Amino acid sequence: MKSKNKEKETNHKEDKEKEIKTDSAAAQEGSAEQNLSQEQESGDTAKLAELNDRYLRLVAEFDNYRRRTAKERMDLVVNAAEETIKGLLPVLDDFERAIQVLSKSEGDIKAALEGTELIFNKLMVYLISKGLKRIEAAGELLDTDFHEAVAQFPAEGEDKKNRIIDVVQQGYTLNGKVIRFAKVVVGV
């Protein structure tokens, strides 16, 4: 009987040890599953953050692209007009010279002078409406942002030094941008 009791006791201890081992193995498995679950969650969170970051960058890049192309389209329209107006500047110079010559000529040329002035004024009104502006130079201080000194002339006084004495070729700006510098004679 003692041996049966001892055997039962030993079996009981072994069963308890097995239970403890099973419980600890289950706990370790549960812990491993929990760790795996936490790793998956943190991996998913990191992946979500990365995807969100990529999405935001893509949206910002597209927005920049849209703005840049709109600006390029506007610049293209402005530059196309600029080239056309630059091509008309020699015609304006010719009109101004014709008006000067007709004003100084003698004879019955009043109709020709009036007709030339009328055409010149219509052309100037149109070009001014498109943003063309004449650079006023005569009597002004030399400003290299708007004027190009082509000659120097001795000035008659201190107040005429570094001032524009004569305009050789008229300068123009288009929408605030210089498209032709005024060629001037400067007093020294």
Side-chain angles (χ1 to χ4, degrees), residues 118-181:
L118 179 68
I119 295 168
F120 175 73
N121 289 335
K122 281 184 178 181
L123 181 60
M124 280 303 292
V125 166
Y126 175 75
L127 293 174
I128 287 170
S129 73
K130 296 300 179 192
L132 185 72
K133 186 177 177 188
R134 181 181 288 218
I135 296 174
E136 297 300 327
E140 299 288 323
L141 282 172
L142 179 68
D143 184 356
T144 56
D145 291 334
F146 298 103
H147 310 121
E148 179 183 344
V150 293
Q152 295 178 343
F153 195 77
E156 296 173 359
E158 286 296 317
D159 61 327
K160 300 255 182 183
K161 285 193 178 187
N162 205 28
R163 290 210 176 261
I164 297 169
I165 296 173
D166 189 24
V167 178
V168 177
Q169 187 179 41
Q170 190 62 50
Y172 294 95
T173 62
L174 182 64
N175 298 320
K177 178 184 173 192
V178 176
I179 58 172
R180 185 169 81 181
F181 291 94

Side-chain angles (χ1 to χ4, degrees), residues 19-177:
E19 277 182 39
I20 290 172
K21 284 182 182 177
T22 306
D23 286 345
S24 84
Q28 284 178 352
E29 268 184 37
S31 175
E33 286 178 11
Q34 190 176 12
N35 286 344
L36 185 61
S37 174
Q38 286 176 351
E39 286 176 11
Q40 282 179 342
E41 278 185 31
S42 65
D44 290 345
T45 304
K47 192 170 186 172
L48 180 65
E50 178 188 341
L51 289 174
N52 191 30
D53 183 56
R54 285 178 57 197
Y55 170 74
L56 289 175
R57 288 180 188 274
L58 188 63
V59 167
E61 186 177 328
F62 178 73
D63 193 41
N64 290 339
Y65 167 77
R66 187 176 44 81
R67 285 184 191 151
R68 185 177 61 246
T69 55
K71 184 181 183 300
E72 286 172 356
R73 265 188 257 124
M74 290 300 295
D75 288 345
L76 183 64
V77 169
V78 168
N79 288 337
E82 179 180 335
E83 291 301 316
T84 303
I85 291 174
K86 273 185 182 179
L88 289 174
L89 294 181
V91 175
L92 291 178
D93 295 337
D94 291 342
F95 267 116
E96 288 175 347
R97 282 191 285 274
I99 290 170
Q100 282 180 339
V101 168
L102 288 173
S103 298
K104 293 177 184 174
S105 296
E106 295 179 16
D108 191 23
I109 54 167
K110 184 178 180 186
L113 178 63
E114 286 178 6
T116 305
E117 286 177 340
L118 179 68
I119 295 168
F120 175 73
N121 289 335
K122 281 184 178 181
L123 181 60
M124 280 303 292
V125 166
Y126 175 75
L127 293 174
I128 287 170
S129 73
K130 296 300 179 192
L132 185 72
K133 186 177 177 188
R134 181 181 288 218
I135 296 174
E136 297 300 327
E140 299 288 323
L141 282 172
L142 179 68
D143 184 356
T144 56
D145 291 334
F146 298 103
H147 310 121
E148 179 183 344
V150 293
Q152 295 178 343
F153 195 77
E156 296 173 359
E158 286 296 317
D159 61 327
K160 300 255 182 183
K161 285 193 178 187
N162 205 28
R163 290 210 176 261
I164 297 169
I165 296 173
D166 189 24
V167 178
V168 177
Q169 187 179 41
Q170 190 62 50
Y172 294 95
T173 62
L174 182 64
N175 298 320
K177 178 184 173 192

